[in-house]
Amino acid sequence: MNREEYLRKIEHTLRDAEYMMRSLYPDFNSDPNADRFIISCLKANEALRQIQDGNMETVKKYWGRSE
């Protein structure tokens, strides 16, 4: 499996996890942990998109870390 395939698999896994949580908690805003989980998946997918686009500077800034 090459890099792009791994990144695509990660993207699909994150989306699947988000959708499963939304199914378990349709009113997820009323459950702080479900809400945090979904927000985390969305943030992780945004960082992943930046990685897929080769924009590592934005990823470092987005996560508030530098090397």
Side-chain angles (χ1 to χ4, degrees):
M1 197 177 285
N2 65 32
R3 182 179 188 277
E4 288 77 24
E5 290 170 328
Y6 275 119
L7 291 173
R8 201 171 310 112
K9 186 172 183 170
I10 293 167
E11 178 184 352
H12 293 170
T13 301
L14 284 167
R15 284 189 187 161
D16 288 345
E18 177 198 344
Y19 295 153
M20 284 187 275
M21 187 62 79
R22 287 178 186 269
S23 293
L24 287 171
Y25 295 92
D27 187 21
F28 64 88
N29 290 318
S30 64
D31 186 305
N33 289 322
D35 186 54
R36 279 193 281 277
F37 182 89
I38 290 169
I39 289 170
S40 295
C41 287
L42 294 171
K43 287 181 178 182
N45 258 324
E46 177 57 31
L48 181 62
R49 275 192 284 285
Q50 296 298 325
I51 291 168
Q52 288 168 322
D53 290 342
N55 195 352
M56 292 307 293
E57 199 58 42
T58 299
V59 173
K60 290 176 192 173
K61 183 178 174 183
Y62 185 78
W63 289 105
R65 299 165 97 181
S66 61
E67 290 183 13

